[in-house]
Amino acid sequence: MAYPLVFMHDASITTDQWLRFVRRRCRGSSPETGLIAIRDRRGVIHALFSYRIDNDLRVRKRLSIGDLIVAHLPGSRIDDAVSNVIAEVSAQYGCQIVTIEQPFATRHARHAGCPTAEALRHHRRVN
């Protein structure tokens, strides 16, 4: 159900690649890694991200967010929903730190920040 959002984000990702990715993230029985999709009341997925629980250098529990894909719609409150879900997951696992991973890009790649990650950083500074 999330593949249309993934395809809109990056049309080069095939259905087979997506299914392999999902299987790898969801195969283990550990609740400390997984995928989260955020849906509206109609069941349409507007955001998706992977997560894992680990420790930082100070041995504090950390929630690491990766593969963040968000459909930005006019008038949408999706950034707040993503931020709230991340806060809930962080609290559920007792994480003291939350990181949102930015994909590595070579210096030849076009540099563009993730709009949702930027919005979440701004949201935290304001609140």
Side-chain angles (χ1 to χ4, degrees):
M1 291 182 68
Y3 182 70
L5 178 63
V6 172
F7 184 78
M8 283 191 317
H9 173 71
D10 185 343
S12 72
I13 298 172
T14 66
T15 306
D16 288 338
Q17 289 170 320
W18 168 245
L19 292 175
R20 268 193 307 273
F21 175 80
V22 170
R23 274 189 232 106
R24 283 194 314 266
R25 290 290 185 263
C26 300
R27 182 181 304 159
S29 60
S30 171
E32 296 190 347
T33 63
L35 291 171
I36 294 179
I38 298 175
R39 305 169 192 247
D40 65 16
R41 289 186 179 116
R42 299 167 295 163
V44 176
I45 296 174
H46 291 278
L48 171 75
F49 59 87
S50 63
Y51 73 91
R52 76 176 179 282
I53 310 299
D54 58 14
N55 294 306
D56 69 2
L57 288 172
R58 294 186 181 122
V59 194
R60 295 177 294 188
K61 242 181 164 179
R62 171 178 53 203
L63 172 63
S64 295
I65 303 298
D67 310 301
L68 179 60
I69 302 172
V70 178
H72 286 277
L73 304 171
S76 175
R77 304 283 303 176
I78 193 65
D79 289 338
D80 288 341
V82 170
S83 183
N84 291 339
V85 168
I86 289 172
E88 289 170 15
V89 172
S90 178
Q92 175 185 348
Y93 289 103
C95 296
Q96 298 165 298
I97 303 292
V98 175
T99 59
I100 300 176
E101 300 170 359
Q102 181 174 355
F104 176 78
T106 64
R107 65 177 179 218
H108 300 293
R110 194 178 93 197
H111 179 69
C114 171
T116 298
E118 293 299 321
L120 290 173
R121 277 193 283 266
H122 175 73
H123 180 76
R124 287 212 169 125
R125 283 192 301 261
V126 172
N127 292 329

